Amino acid sequence: MVKLLIADRDHNERTGIGWLVNSYAIPFDRVVMAGTIPEVFQIIESEMPDVICIELDMIPREVWDSFKERIKQYKQTIIVMTAEATFERAMQGIELHAHDLWIKPHSPDSIRRVLARCCKAASSAQQDTEIEEGAIPPALSYHSLFLPQKQAADDCWLLLLQLEKTEQQPRLLSFLQDYPFHHAPVLLPLSDMIVSIFTREPRHSLFTMKKIGNRLLQEWEEKFAEPLSLVLYDTKDKSLALQQKYQYARQALEIRFFKGYRQVSIIEDKVDWQIIDPFLTPAEQREWIGMLGDGDRERLKLWMYKEFLNKEEPYPEPGLLRTRLTSILAQVRRFMKSYCLDQGRLEERYHRVFETILYNPILYRIVQEFLLFLYEMLDMAKEYREDARIDIIEQALRYIEENYTNPNLRLEDVADYVARSPAYFSSLFTKRQGHSFRQLVTTIRIKEAQRLLLDRKLSVQEVAERAGFINANYFSKIFKEKTGLTPRMFRNRKKM
């Protein structure tokens, strides 16, 4: 079935070309139309038209490269249209390897000749492809990747290529299609990887195939920044069908969880993952509570590195390690709640770390992201503790200022007011204020007495009582110790 896609922003232009195709009986089996670039991309991928007639002016600059990649991948015949007869538009047509360039308004006769020629060429190419595909051995087809079959595939090498960002896969496919292999492999693109099947030749060895894989990786990285992972599967078991080889090779791609991208992994058998208990033991839970409570960053880092990094074969099953990381995150959650940190920015970071644990393909990145989150959380917990201490002292100072006139005011009374033990409050108060509770109360009372002594109507006894001293004698003694003067001398000096 030969298909034609007509893409133009102008509905009348699209309809007019479609009418010409129908009226001239150009033998396209199906004609589809698009008025936007998203529609064009969707039709290219779902319908895979053989001939595309597209208005250049409708392609935004930011999607130009993506459009070129799709055209290169699906190998359609392109006819470009434009209302601007400029050098730039001509160069765009050349970049797309366009079969023809139409300047609006179009000549109906030219449209007929060009489309008829393109339709005939596409029809012939389809017939040739059907003949070639019929000659491909069943072992080198999509069917053999997914359906269990008895045919052995000992005459094939299997190379799986996977990008970190699978949306860049059309670019990888184009790269492989243009790569100068001595004998080109069969390429079977999937949604998340590309399967390359090399016919085994007498002079090919595992060493030779590894060199091919390393050279592919090196040349890809010279042109593109997107990380690429390769798995070369080889086995001494010649009875394995291609479907079994593919399943084992696909499983081996998970090794990138430990090794990272930009690697060529050689697999000669089914990956034998180590099975571990993913949950923290009671002792490990207590250890984590202690490390978090102490804010010990170095111990946390060493624990995470020892537990998760520098792993060697046989590797733990990646899913179990992800579960173990979420088990640790549960302890962190308890710590956050105890400090009321389960809200705001840190709460958002917590959910991002959880998603990272579940979906990030590289273990090292997960651990680093986890540690950065832990450090930020510990900083906020420290601020919380300091703020709480400041609040306690401020409450205590307000209470003292309101009650210093009570001669029986004790440290125990203030400690009880702020709900702390007397020993803890005394230590914290002295550390934050630089002097003891008793010293502060005395200082406040002396300052109040100095103010009251200015009122000559009040006797020394009355001043002592209002300032919070037990009696006038004790007041006079303390006043002289702190100011160097008796209360009467202080009053007389102020009078002078």
Side-chain angles (χ1 to χ4, degrees):
M1 178 180 286
V2 181
K3 301 176 186 177
L4 168 66
L5 166 61
I6 303 170
D8 196 299
R9 293 171 298 175
D10 189 326
H11 173 76
N12 293 328
E13 291 280 358
R14 300 195 301 269
T15 304
I17 296 173
W19 180 84
L20 285 172
V21 170
N22 183 61
S23 62
Y24 285 126
I26 301 174
F28 283 104
D29 297 292
R30 179 168 168 75
V31 177
V32 290
M33 299 187 185
T36 67
I37 278 296
E39 289 177 349
V40 170
F41 285 173
Q42 189 272 327
I43 290 171
I44 288 176
E45 293 179 358
S46 62
E47 298 277 354
M48 290 191 291
D50 304 277
V51 181
I52 297 178
C53 182
I54 186 167
E55 177 194 22
L56 285 173
D57 312 80
M58 75 183 297
I59 307 173
R61 186 181 301 275
E62 61 269 18
V63 302
W64 177 255
D65 288 339
S66 181
F67 179 74
K68 282 199 306 180
E69 289 295 332
R70 280 173 168 78
I71 296 303
K72 191 173 183 180
Q73 175 184 349
Y74 292 101
K75 299 183 182 300
Q76 291 102 343
T77 298
I78 303 296
I79 300 165
V80 294
M81 305 179 289
T82 181
E84 302 175 4
T86 63
F87 177 76
E88 179 183 1
R89 292 291 183 244
M91 288 303 298
Q92 287 180 317
I94 291 172
E95 281 188 59
L96 295 174
H97 302 285
H99 180 81
D100 204 350
L101 171 64
W102 293 345
I103 306 297
K104 297 181 180 181
H106 318 301
S107 163
D109 189 54
S110 176
I111 291 175
R112 179 187 62 78
R113 288 198 315 271
V114 173
L115 288 182
R117 202 161 51 236
C118 291
C119 182
K120 182 178 179 180
S123 179
S124 299
Q126 282 190 5
Q127 293 175 7
D128 293 341
T129 301
E130 289 170 2
I131 294 172
E132 291 175 3
E133 288 180 349
I136 295 177
L140 304 183
S141 68
Y142 279 106
H143 291 285
S144 295
L145 286 186
F146 302 113
L147 300 177
Q149 298 183 12
K150 297 299 182 182
Q151 299 100 327
D154 60 308
D155 59 341
C156 296
W157 299 91
L158 201 60
L159 180 66
L160 271 55
L161 303 94
Q162 186 174 57
L163 292 169
E164 181 170 5
K165 295 181 179 178
T166 53
E167 60 266 25
Q168 297 291 331
Q169 190 157 294
R171 179 174 291 178
L172 176 60
L173 179 59
S174 178
F175 170 80
L176 294 173
Q177 288 171 337
D178 294 341
Y179 193 82
F181 292 105
H182 184 68
H183 289 288
V186 174
L187 301 175
L188 301 177
L190 305 177
S191 60
D192 59 344
M193 72 181 72
I194 295 177
V195 179
S196 305
I197 306 172
F198 292 81
T199 302
R200 193 184 295 264
E201 298 180 16
R203 67 175 182 278
H204 275 184
S205 63
L206 182 60
F207 177 75
T208 304
M209 290 303 301
K210 186 176 181 180
K211 283 178 62 177
I212 292 174
N214 284 324
R215 190 169 67 246
L216 268 174
L217 181 61
Q218 179 182 350
E219 294 189 22
W220 168 262
E221 291 187 338
E222 287 174 356
K223 296 181 178 180
F224 307 104
E226 187 62 34
L228 177 65
S229 178
L230 294 86
V231 165
L232 176 62
Y233 187 81
D234 179 50
T235 178
K236 296 179 176 63
D237 186 352
K238 296 185 177 182
S239 65
L240 287 182
L242 187 62
Q243 186 254 0
Q244 292 171 298
K245 283 189 174 184
Y246 164 69
Q247 292 294 336
Y248 293 161
R250 184 182 182 89
Q251 185 186 45
L253 277 172
E254 287 293 317
I255 290 176
R256 74 181 184 284
F257 187 65
F258 301 96
K259 291 186 175 182
Y261 284 93
R262 300 182 169 91
Q263 301 279 342
V264 179
S265 299
I266 311 297
I267 306 300
E268 299 183 20
D269 203 350
K270 180 181 179 181
V271 177
D272 188 16
W273 300 115
Q274 181 185 5
I275 304 302
I276 63 169
D277 182 356
F279 300 105
L280 294 179
T281 64
E284 288 173 328
Q285 291 179 14
R286 291 192 295 271
E287 185 178 5
W288 266 89
I289 291 171
M291 290 188 296
L292 292 172
D294 296 339
D296 195 333
R297 299 185 181 207
E298 191 60 27
R299 278 182 64 200
L300 288 167
K301 179 180 176 181
L302 290 175
W303 199 100
M304 293 288 285
Y305 276 28
K306 180 181 178 182
E307 185 69 19
F308 295 107
L309 301 187
N310 303 315
K311 294 290 186 182
E312 296 180 354
E313 297 185 30
Y315 294 114
E317 201 280 319
L320 294 177
L321 280 186
R322 293 184 192 273
T323 302
R324 187 160 179 78
L325 284 159
T326 58
S327 180
I328 296 171
L329 197 61
Q331 298 301 315
V332 174
R333 186 67 169 175
R334 292 174 57 189
F335 180 82
M336 289 174 63
K337 286 183 174 294
S338 68
Y339 281 88
C340 302
L341 299 176
D342 54 335
Q343 54 191 334
R345 186 185 78 240
L346 197 65
E347 177 73 2
E348 293 176 5
R349 288 273 285 123
Y350 168 85
H351 288 288
R352 286 203 299 272
V353 169
F354 182 68
E355 290 183 1
T356 298
I357 291 172
L358 293 182
Y359 303 117
N360 195 293
I362 306 299
L363 179 59
Y364 177 80
R365 296 180 191 167
I366 297 174
V367 171
Q368 294 304 312
E369 186 70 20
F370 203 145
L371 285 173
L372 290 174
F373 167 68
L374 289 178
Y375 297 158
E376 182 178 352
M377 181 192 67
L378 292 176
D379 286 340
M380 294 186 71
K382 182 179 179 181
E383 291 176 7
Y384 177 90
R385 285 191 289 260
E386 290 177 352
D387 289 344
R389 290 176 181 176
I390 291 171
D391 289 343
I392 290 171
I393 299 304
E394 288 179 349
Q395 292 174 40
L397 290 174
R398 285 196 296 270
Y399 185 82
I400 291 168
E401 289 172 354
E402 293 171 358
N403 295 276
Y404 72 88
T405 56
N406 177 6
N408 297 315
L409 180 65
R410 303 175 305 156
L411 179 140
E412 289 78 5
D413 298 328
V414 184
D416 183 63
Y417 177 76
V418 296
R420 296 294 186 275
S421 70
Y424 174 80
F425 173 72
S426 177
S427 173
L428 180 63
F429 189 92
T430 302
K431 181 179 178 181
R432 299 296 299 183
Q433 295 299 112
H435 43 252
S436 69
F437 162 78
R438 181 55 56 192
Q439 288 172 328
L440 176 67
V441 172
T442 299
T443 298
I444 293 173
R445 286 171 173 169
I446 292 296
K447 287 183 178 179
E448 177 63 9
Q450 288 176 328
R451 187 185 69 80
L452 293 171
L453 284 170
L454 298 178
D455 186 352
R456 296 183 62 80
K457 295 178 181 179
L458 297 175
S459 67
V460 172
Q461 177 68 37
E462 290 174 321
V463 170
E465 290 176 358
R466 293 190 183 188
F469 289 95
I470 297 174
N471 55 57
N473 291 333
Y474 179 72
F475 164 59
S476 296
K477 177 185 175 183
I478 297 300
F479 192 90
K480 186 173 183 181
E481 286 180 3
K482 297 299 181 182
T483 66
L485 301 170
T486 65
R488 295 185 186 281
M489 291 171 63
F490 179 86
R491 173 178 277 175
N492 292 333
R493 188 189 70 172
K494 290 293 182 181
K495 179 180 178 183
M496 295 168 61

